[in-house]
Amino acid sequence: EFSAADFQLDADFLAGGDVIDTKLDLARAYIDMGDQGSAKDILNEVVREGTDKQKQEAQQLIQKLA
C-alpha cells in the first residue's frame, strides 16, 4: 500500500530538484500572459527558496515588472 507521503516523495524525486527552475518558467509564462500578480508571487517564492543564481534571476524579473 502507498500513502500520500510516498507519492510526494516520488514526485519530489521525479522533479529532480528542479522545482525552482520550474517556478521560474511558470513565472515567465504568467508574465507573457500579462498576469503580473501571479508572476510576482511565484518570483517571491524563488527569492526565498532558490539558489543564488535563481534568486538573482527572479529579482531581475521582479524589477522588470515594477
Side-chain angles (χ1 to χ4, degrees):
E1 263 182 57
F2 291 101
S3 68
D6 293 328
F7 177 75
Q8 186 59 48
L9 290 174
D10 290 343
D12 290 346
F13 175 76
L14 292 173
D18 293 332
V19 173
I20 301 300
D21 285 332
T22 301
K23 287 184 179 185
L24 282 167
D25 290 339
L26 183 58
R28 285 189 204 94
Y30 278 129
I31 291 168
D32 290 344
M33 293 185 306
D35 187 349
Q36 293 186 349
S38 295
K40 283 183 182 180
D41 289 343
I42 293 171
L43 290 169
N44 285 325
E45 288 180 29
V46 173
V47 169
R48 288 191 305 270
E49 303 168 4
T51 64
D52 288 342
K53 181 181 176 191
Q54 291 165 329
K55 290 177 183 182
Q56 181 180 16
E57 187 172 349
Q59 288 169 336
Q60 290 173 347
L61 289 170
I62 290 170
Q63 288 175 354
K64 289 180 182 179
L65 293 175

